Amino acid sequence: KKTVDDINAKGKRVLVRCDFNVPLKNGQITDETRIVAALPTIKKLIADGGKVILCSHLGKVKNGPNEGESLAPVAVRLSEKLGQPVNFVADYNVTGEAATKAVEAMKDGDVVLLQNTRFRGAEETKNGEAFSKELADLADIYVCDAFGSSHRAHASVAGVTKFITAKGGENVVGYLMQKEIDFLGNAVENPVRPFVAILGGAKVADKLNVIANLLEKCDTLIIGGGMAYTFLKAKGYEVGTSLVDDEKIDYCKEMMAKADKLGKKLLLPVDTTIAAAFPNPIDAEIEVSAVDSDKIPADKMGLDIGPKTAELYADAVKSAKTVVWNGPMGVFENPILAKGTIAVAKSLAETDATTIIGGGDSAAAVNQLGFGDKMSHISTGGGASLEFLEGKELPGVMAADDK
Ligand code: 3PG
């Protein structure tokens, strides 16, 4: 793929699609990871002397454009990080006259941020062509650096490229996009072995294709979190009141048979931390105990992997050269039920292996537990990193190929 290193943006108008979909609370950014991750590309284009036009979506925008989902707070934070003004075009039309004028007034090295692309409903629809073209009309070069949005075939992510190509412009990927593709792509397609994949999270249903794909690619697949109980049930164990996805029991049986057939190790919890019920509120102090996985009492709920399992999983990580992790091992939001997730995070932090964390909950868990800077790569994509691990071709990644 062509990257920003293959272009010189001097004097050119460069449209950069970022993923500035950051969490906001009362108008304040509560996690700036995605903004920080976008800086290398933006700084390179500024250093080139390009006219840097940034765009992104924010939130779901279910009820039309509104100030609560404006990118204004992002413009402020970006400007602080870059140490230069970011001209925010607050117009809900995104590409309208205000945007055109702002771009016309740009000098080399200036930065403009357009309004939330989802304020134009066309962003998300199949009829987004006109909007794609309006975006392309603003620029000479398009840079896709929005890995977190690359599973969306949206106007500003994928649709725009063909209009850039039509006018003789170039489409390239940014540094963040490149880094994500390198780490996640190499891990799955070309891993240094042994390759251990760790999957957790609540539901088997959310990870069906990830389990199937990673089972083929890895040497050891480790299962934890809520979804482990469906596997344990499929093994014939009684799991009390633990979360079970009854419709997916056959699927779990199939995966266990597949692991045997392929000669892959599939590790399930040998013991589990149980309580009388799910904690309410989630961080409530509750009484827990650990039992072997085949001895969960009928009235108890499994909420974390047990201490023996934590040790078993940490040992598997020790022998790995590549580790991919997606999904917590238990209800990590509760300190009493975070021990399994902490043990796994610690084992990843201590190994010399390449360690890759899928975005979303796992990234949050690793950062919250203070292990963030110990990992080789933490993906900025939640849904996008999952679809990548499924082996899917992502529309944003495809479109970024200069065709
Ligand atoms: C994300 O946060 O996963 C991306 O920004 C995509 O957001 P979306 O799920 O609203 O499309």
Side-chain angles (χ1 to χ4, degrees):
K1 278 186 205 306
K2 275 197 179 175
T3 76
V4 279
D5 280 334
D6 298 312
I7 54 161
N8 184 346
K10 173 84 188 145
K12 300 264 173 59
R13 299 169 304 160
V14 190
L15 178 71
V16 190
R17 175 50 156 105
C18 299
D19 187 337
F20 290 142
N21 185 23
V22 292
L24 291 171
K25 205 171 180 185
N26 304 322
Q28 299 295 313
I29 296 167
T30 56
D31 181 351
E32 63 176 20
T33 308
R34 283 178 164 173
I35 295 176
V36 173
L39 295 175
T41 296
I42 299 170
K43 285 183 178 165
K44 192 282 175 183
L45 296 169
I46 293 172
D48 273 1
K51 296 170 179 167
V52 187
I53 308 157
L54 306 172
C55 69
S56 173
H57 77 285
L58 182 114
K60 298 286 182 196
V61 193
K62 288 216 171 94
N63 301 311
N66 65 92
E67 273 314 280
E69 288 175 307
S70 162
L71 278 171
V74 172
V76 174
R77 185 64 60 89
L78 247 181
S79 170
E80 285 165 18
K81 296 278 167 200
L82 290 170
Q84 76 173 68
V86 169
N87 183 10
F88 178 54
V89 184
D91 182 12
Y92 287 178
N93 193 347
V94 188
T95 49
E97 205 185 325
T100 315
K101 284 205 168 126
V103 171
E104 270 167 16
M106 289 176 92
K107 297 196 191 62
D108 292 356
D110 278 356
V111 179
V112 157
L113 173 64
L114 303 179
Q115 186 53 284
N116 188 344
T117 49
R118 286 189 184 168
F119 282 6
R120 291 284 298 274
E123 163 79 332
E124 295 179 74
T125 67
K126 289 220 162 15
N127 318 317
E129 297 253 302
F131 182 45
S132 296
K133 181 164 185 310
E134 287 168 38
L135 286 164
D137 282 345
L138 291 174
D140 309 301
I141 298 171
Y142 172 73
V143 178
C144 183
D145 212 17
F147 179 76
S149 314
S150 60
H151 57 317
R152 307 288 184 215
H154 291 171
S156 68
V157 182
V160 61
T161 58
K162 87 173 192 212
F163 294 101
I164 291 281
T165 305
K167 64 199 261 191
E170 276 193 286
N171 298 300
V172 302
V173 295
Y175 293 129
L176 175 61
M177 192 82 174
Q178 188 65 48
K179 186 166 172 249
E180 296 269 14
I181 295 170
D182 281 352
F183 271 103
L184 291 165
N186 272 335
V188 179
E189 298 309 329
N190 203 11
V192 182
R193 296 186 183 276
F195 170 24
V196 173
I198 309 170
L199 293 175
K203 291 201 234 130
V204 181
D206 292 342
K207 307 251 160 99
L208 297 177
N209 298 325
V210 184
I211 297 169
N213 189 42
L214 287 181
L215 198 50
E216 279 173 21
K217 307 286 161 75
C218 74
D219 300 296
T220 302
L221 180 64
I222 292 177
I223 303 282
M227 67 184 206
Y229 302 102
T230 304
F231 275 92
L232 292 174
K233 186 98 195 243
K235 242 183 123 169
Y237 294 177
E238 288 308 323
V239 296
T241 58
S242 310
L243 186 68
V244 170
D245 203 343
D246 282 314
E247 282 174 15
K248 297 294 174 264
I249 290 177
D250 284 345
Y251 175 85
C252 292
K253 285 184 186 162
E254 218 179 278
M255 288 301 116
M256 292 193 281
K258 184 171 167 169
D260 274 347
K261 196 166 146 231
L262 295 173
K264 306 291 173 85
K265 270 193 219 158
L266 177 64
L267 301 184
L268 298 175
V270 293
D271 64 344
T272 182
T273 297
I274 54 170
F278 197 88
N280 181 23
I282 199 156
D283 58 352
E285 252 192 63
I286 54 165
E287 217 172 283
V288 299
S289 56
V291 293
D292 286 348
S293 294
D294 57 352
K295 300 208 171 48
I296 303 176
D299 60 344
K300 292 287 195 295
M301 181 182 271
L303 294 164
D304 189 14
I305 56 172
K308 286 190 233 170
T309 308
E311 216 170 289
L312 177 76
Y313 289 2
D315 278 344
V317 167
K318 262 185 213 150
S319 64
K321 288 269 189 296
T322 306
V323 188
V324 168
W325 180 20
N326 195 299
M329 297 289 102
V331 187
F332 77 99
E333 298 90 339
N334 187 314
I336 302 166
L337 301 168
K339 294 199 176 103
T341 303
I342 292 175
V344 168
K346 207 159 164 272
S347 71
L348 263 74
E350 284 168 359
T351 173
D352 292 332
T354 301
T355 47
I356 299 155
I357 314 297
D361 270 357
S362 352
V366 163
N367 284 325
Q368 204 173 305
L369 299 170
F371 295 113
D373 56 358
K374 297 280 195 329
M375 305 300 163
S376 312
H377 180 67
I378 301 179
S379 179
T380 54
S385 71
L386 266 187
E387 290 196 21
F388 205 102
L389 296 177
E390 286 176 4
K392 267 198 197 159
E393 288 188 321
L394 307 186
V397 178
M398 304 277 290
D401 280 322
D402 194 22
K403 287 189 227 85

